[in-house]
Amino acid sequence: MIQITLPDGSVRSFEKDVTPYEVAVDISAGFARNVISAKFNDTVIETTTPLTTDGSLTLYTFRDDEGKKAFWHSSAHVLAQALEELYPGVKLWVGPAIDNGFYYDVDLGEEGTISEKDFKSIETKMIEIARGKHDFKMRDVSKAEALSYYKGKNEYKVDLIDNLEDGTISFCDHSTFTDLCRGGHIPNTGIIKAVKILSVAGAYYKGDEKNKQLTRVYGISFPKQKELTEYLELLEEAKKRDHRKLGKELELFTFSQRVGQGLPLWLPKGAALRERLENFLKAAQKKAGYEMVVTPHIGQKELYVTSGHYAKYGEDSFQPIATPSEGEEFLLKPMNCPHHCEIYNSKPFSYKELPKRYAEFGTVYRYEQSGELHGLTRVRGFTQDDAHIFCTPDQLDKEFKDVIDLVLYVFGSLGFENFTAQVSLRDPENLEKYIGSDENWQKAEEAILNAAKDKGLNYVVETGEAAFYGPKLDFMVKDALGRQWQLGTIQVDYNLPERFDLAYKGSDNEMHRPVMIHRAPFGSMERFIAILLEHTGGNFPLWLMPEQAIILSISEKYEKYAEKVLISLENDEIRALTDNRNETVGKKIREAEMQKFPFMIIVGEQEEKDNTITVRQHGGEDLGTISVEDFVKIVKERISKSLKTFK
């Protein structure tokens, strides 16, 4: 008998070679019908894999992230089989599950192409294969066998196998199809009931622009047609909320090929929006004891060599700028932290003067590949709401928790209420990716875990996701469409203080090394605004709107009264403008709705006579005819409910 431990801590005894599916049946026959994947002792396995030792077993349905991963990975195999049958001679590379669906990278040959008109035939073929209810079967193969299978037929798979160790290679078979695979599948293809091919794109082999460009086919699948229908409706809503579309309609930002790819240009309304966000955070930071600093956009190459950023970003970023002085080179700064370390180093500190909290809205530059650029979410120049706290080890816990409070204040003020925290630790199997001693990493990781626990955060731990210089706490926010984004980040760093030889004099009159906290509640202004745009659909919180009201005069006879109302609103610090065009009120209202104005103020003969205004809200609700003073009260009350003062 073997002992199987379930997630609730209970232990059940089974005969050796019991499968995860049989364990599921023992729990509940109804539950077993929905189980599609499993994990045993931290290894993803199939539901048909025999269990031979004691261990911990987790069973997954499609509702679980791991279940979706197995479902979509299996669907990628079905996609690959469909492509092989529809496009003879196609060469497969890789086909992983992604956050929403899956893709497969393929080489269609010199003449082969896939376009939108081909999507239906691919979907039909996939459903035809799925209906065969073919079992996914794993088998181990030797390296020689694997190479023999692909040699002369698929150089991409041969290259993959060349980099694998003998004894770690396996194939997955279903129907007439075989693929190189590590495992993690659903029981059979019949569980796949609904499929949609979403798009095709170019993808360089191994992500290297110097290599051949392959075709990447994206798809998604579900166990029920209803779920696919709901997802496609969500996609349509996402298209309406696309920040690139809304940014253009609301006249917030633009891009210019002459300026350069990935370098956004902020238009007046967008610049004003950014300024309000900056002022909002600056006010909170001031209360929290931060001091604003300003650093240049470039620095000597040696600065980033010292910090480790050159090794991390140098080869794949903007290249060094040579000066007339021989051997002198500068870099566009990839991060603000080295500059802030040098500010700290500009004078000696004692423990009585710590913590020092330096904040900056600093623009940094990284050369993202052109294929990875995407509106404001992936750019080459972006502004971080950066701050670095230099403190004693005894102050670390309080400072870290105070930053958590600041991040939560930012999220609450902007309507991001659905989020989880992610503690990112280094990968113990790949330590060469990181700088610093094991002792410092252990201290930093413990500090973050303790703070997350003490603040009662709903958090998960992700191994291998740490920054190269230290572990971090990231805030993963779900937007109105249920999509997850990484926004605020807090990081503990013992390494840069060593690299820059930072010090303070302790109470013992000895010199000590400070601890450094990196933090950015927004992350970057560009990405944050993009996510905020899509989350709100352009209907920002009232306090943040570029204009909070538009005054619509019924005819030119009431333009002077409209201007009088505008002045009254501006005197009460309400942002508004007038629309005195020779157009019908109906057209003005429709256009104001498109521009997302929170309030439309209509003025005509009766309003002028009674010294009132008629107010309509975005979305169609009428507030009736009221005085300007009452309207001001309504606006200020609504702002005060969403924008609390940071304490």
Side-chain angles (χ1 to χ4, degrees):
M1 302 291 284
I2 59 174
Q3 305 301 306
I4 302 299
T5 304
L6 299 173
D8 64 0
S10 63
V11 180
R12 300 193 184 203
S13 298
F14 295 93
E15 295 288 341
K16 189 178 178 183
D17 291 331
V18 68
T19 66
Y21 175 74
E22 290 167 336
V23 174
V25 170
D26 188 67
I27 297 170
S28 160
F31 173 61
R33 283 194 292 271
N34 293 311
V35 170
I36 58 176
S37 181
K39 183 179 283 186
F40 188 65
N41 290 342
D42 296 325
T43 300
V44 176
I45 58 174
E46 275 64 35
T47 59
T48 55
T49 303
L51 307 179
T52 59
T53 64
D54 296 347
S56 298
L57 178 68
T58 306
L59 300 164
Y60 299 115
T61 70
F62 188 75
R63 291 181 178 275
D64 303 304
D65 288 343
E66 288 290 342
K68 286 185 175 71
K69 186 176 180 181
F71 193 93
W72 287 331
H73 172 63
S74 304
S75 300
H77 280 276
V78 176
L79 169 61
Q81 181 184 357
L83 293 176
E84 279 196 342
E85 293 184 15
L86 292 170
Y87 300 89
V90 65
K91 295 177 182 178
L92 309 175
W93 182 34
V94 291
I98 53 178
D99 287 345
N100 284 294
F102 53 89
Y103 69 78
Y104 218 111
D105 286 344
V106 300
D107 182 351
L108 294 165
E110 294 302 320
E111 303 299 324
T113 59
I114 293 176
S115 66
E116 197 169 336
K117 65 181 174 60
D118 303 310
F119 290 0
K120 186 63 180 175
S121 61
I122 298 171
E123 293 162 5
T124 301
K125 177 60 71 173
M126 288 182 70
I127 291 297
E128 178 189 313
I129 294 167
R131 285 174 178 159
K133 297 183 178 178
H134 307 291
D135 292 339
F136 288 97
K137 298 177 181 177
M138 294 296 298
R139 59 187 167 96
D140 295 329
V141 295
S142 68
K143 190 167 185 174
E145 288 175 297
L147 287 170
S148 174
Y149 183 82
Y150 284 112
K151 237 165 198 172
K153 295 187 293 183
N154 189 327
E155 63 271 27
Y156 306 107
K157 298 289 188 183
V158 169
D159 187 41
L160 276 173
I161 296 164
D162 279 337
N163 292 297
L164 299 176
E165 291 183 16
D166 210 342
T168 66
I169 302 170
S170 54
F171 281 173
C172 178
D173 304 313
H174 78 268
S175 181
T176 60
F177 180 76
T178 295
D179 203 358
L180 178 69
C181 186
R182 291 177 180 173
H185 304 91
I186 59 179
N188 65 73
T189 61
I191 300 170
I192 302 168
K193 302 291 188 184
V195 171
K196 184 69 177 175
I197 301 302
L198 298 172
S199 62
V200 290
Y204 291 107
Y205 177 52
K206 294 185 176 181
D208 189 337
E209 290 179 323
K210 297 173 185 175
N211 291 336
K212 183 172 183 178
Q213 191 174 70
L214 306 180
T215 299
R216 177 169 293 178
V217 184
Y218 286 96
I220 197 163
S221 56
F222 292 91
K224 294 179 182 177
Q225 179 63 43
K226 179 186 175 186
E227 291 171 314
L228 174 59
T229 301
E230 290 171 350
Y231 178 77
L232 294 177
E233 289 172 354
L234 200 64
L235 272 189
E236 284 305 308
E237 181 62 25
K239 287 179 184 175
K240 295 176 190 173
R241 290 171 176 253
D242 189 313
H243 75 275
R244 295 167 297 178
K245 174 177 177 289
L246 289 173
K248 183 176 182 180
E249 290 174 356
L250 300 178
E251 299 178 359
L252 299 178
F253 60 87
T254 188
F255 288 90
S256 163
Q257 288 295 325
R258 288 182 177 177
V259 173
Q261 285 186 299
L263 300 172
L265 300 170
W266 291 91
L267 304 176
K269 289 183 181 179
L273 177 74
R274 276 180 62 128
E275 184 179 23
R276 276 189 290 280
L277 279 171
E278 288 186 13
N279 290 340
F280 154 73
L281 187 55
K282 282 177 181 176
Q285 287 178 164
K286 187 174 182 180
K287 287 200 168 188
Y290 288 84
E291 300 172 280
M292 295 302 297
V293 297
V294 178
T295 63
H297 291 248
I298 65 173
Q300 288 202 80
K301 178 181 171 182
E302 288 75 15
L303 177 72
Y304 309 111
V305 171
T306 300
S307 68
H309 289 98
Y310 184 73
K312 176 73 176 176
Y313 299 112
E315 288 185 9
D316 299 320
S317 197
F318 290 97
Q319 293 305 294
I321 304 165
T323 73
S325 295
E326 188 175 346
E328 185 179 57
E329 291 182 314
F330 285 78
L331 288 180
L332 290 170
K333 68 175 173 182
M335 290 291 275
N336 299 301
C337 11
H339 297 249
H340 290 193
C341 286
E342 287 301 292
I343 288 176
Y344 179 90
N345 250 343
S346 66
K347 61 170 280 190
F349 288 102
S350 82
Y351 72 98
K352 292 181 180 180
E353 297 173 281
L354 300 185
K356 295 301 294 182
R357 307 179 189 95
Y358 296 133
E360 175 182 17
F361 286 86
T363 303
V364 298
Y365 303 88
R366 297 179 198 162
Y367 190 80
E368 302 286 357
Q369 291 188 7
S370 58
E372 295 178 339
L373 297 174
H374 182 81
L376 294 180
T377 59
R378 202 71 181 267
V379 290
R380 288 173 173 167
F382 54 95
T383 302
Q384 294 180 310
D385 58 319
D386 227 344
H388 297 92
I389 301 168
F390 302 90
C391 63
T392 69
D394 290 342
Q395 295 168 334
L396 175 60
D397 184 63
K398 181 181 184 302
E399 288 299 315
F400 198 93
K401 290 173 182 174
D402 286 348
V403 176
I404 291 175
D405 289 338
L406 180 62
V407 172
L408 298 183
Y409 167 71
V410 169
F411 287 0
S413 299
L414 290 158
F416 289 112
E417 297 169 356
N418 187 358
F419 63 87
T420 56
Q422 176 179 301
V423 178
S424 299
L425 309 178
R426 67 175 176 166
D427 183 356
E429 305 297 322
N430 197 4
L431 297 179
E432 66 274 6
K433 285 168 53 178
Y434 311 97
I435 62 174
S437 68
D438 291 340
E439 178 188 3
N440 284 345
W441 272 90
Q442 184 176 349
K443 287 191 291 186
E445 290 179 345
E446 286 177 359
I448 289 181
L449 286 166
N450 290 337
K453 288 174 189 170
D454 291 347
K455 294 300 290 186
L457 294 180
N458 174 24
Y459 72 93
V460 296
V461 176
E462 291 290 343
T463 301
E465 295 297 315
F468 74 95
Y469 50 77
K472 57 181 180 170
L473 179 67
D474 291 328
F475 290 83
M476 316 302 291
V477 175
K478 277 196 174 179
D479 68 11
L481 298 179
R483 301 169 301 182
Q484 185 164 276
W485 304 90
Q486 186 265 309
L487 288 181
T489 185
I490 318 171
Q491 303 163 8
V492 176
D493 185 0
Y494 283 84
N495 295 311
L496 286 188
E498 282 192 3
R499 287 183 165 236
F500 283 92
D501 195 25
L502 306 185
Y504 66 91
K505 184 176 283 188
S507 58
D508 57 2
N509 282 324
E510 298 293 326
M511 301 307 291
H512 299 272
R513 193 78 71 202
V515 185
M516 188 174 176
I517 299 174
H518 307 244
R519 54 108 280 206
F522 292 147
S524 84
M525 298 299 292
E526 286 72 15
R527 192 165 179 273
F528 189 87
I529 289 173
I531 295 166
L532 186 62
L533 255 175
E534 297 191 1
H535 177 58
T536 61
N539 297 307
F540 297 116
L542 186 55
W543 66 267
L544 187 60
M545 287 297 292
E547 282 96 16
Q548 294 158 326
I550 185 168
I551 304 162
L552 312 175
S553 54
I554 287 178
S555 74
E556 62 182 16
K557 288 195 293 183
Y558 309 108
E559 287 180 11
K560 286 186 179 179
Y561 183 62
E563 290 296 329
K564 178 184 173 183
V565 172
L566 177 64
I567 291 168
S568 295
L569 294 178
E570 288 177 341
N571 287 341
D572 281 299
E573 298 183 340
I574 290 176
R575 296 184 293 277
L577 52 81
T578 57
D579 183 352
N580 293 323
R581 293 175 302 153
N582 187 25
E583 300 285 357
T584 65
V585 171
K587 182 175 181 180
K588 290 180 180 181
I589 289 174
R590 286 193 298 274
E591 291 180 358
E593 284 280 350
M594 290 284 292
Q595 286 290 310
K596 315 286 186 185
F597 284 97
F599 297 101
M600 284 143 270
I601 296 173
I602 298 141
V603 295
E605 181 180 4
Q606 195 63 44
E607 287 83 9
E608 183 178 41
K609 180 181 176 183
D610 298 338
N611 202 28
T612 59
I613 55 176
T614 298
V615 183
R616 174 191 173 100
Q617 287 191 129
H618 177 70
E621 183 184 348
D622 286 325
L623 297 184
T625 301
I626 58 178
S627 68
V628 173
E629 292 76 15
D630 285 342
F631 175 69
V632 170
K633 286 178 186 175
I634 290 171
V635 173
K636 294 200 170 180
E637 282 173 7
R638 293 191 184 184
I639 289 173
S640 67
K641 284 181 181 178
S642 64
L643 185 60
K644 308 292 185 186
T645 302
F646 182 67
K647 298 178 181 177

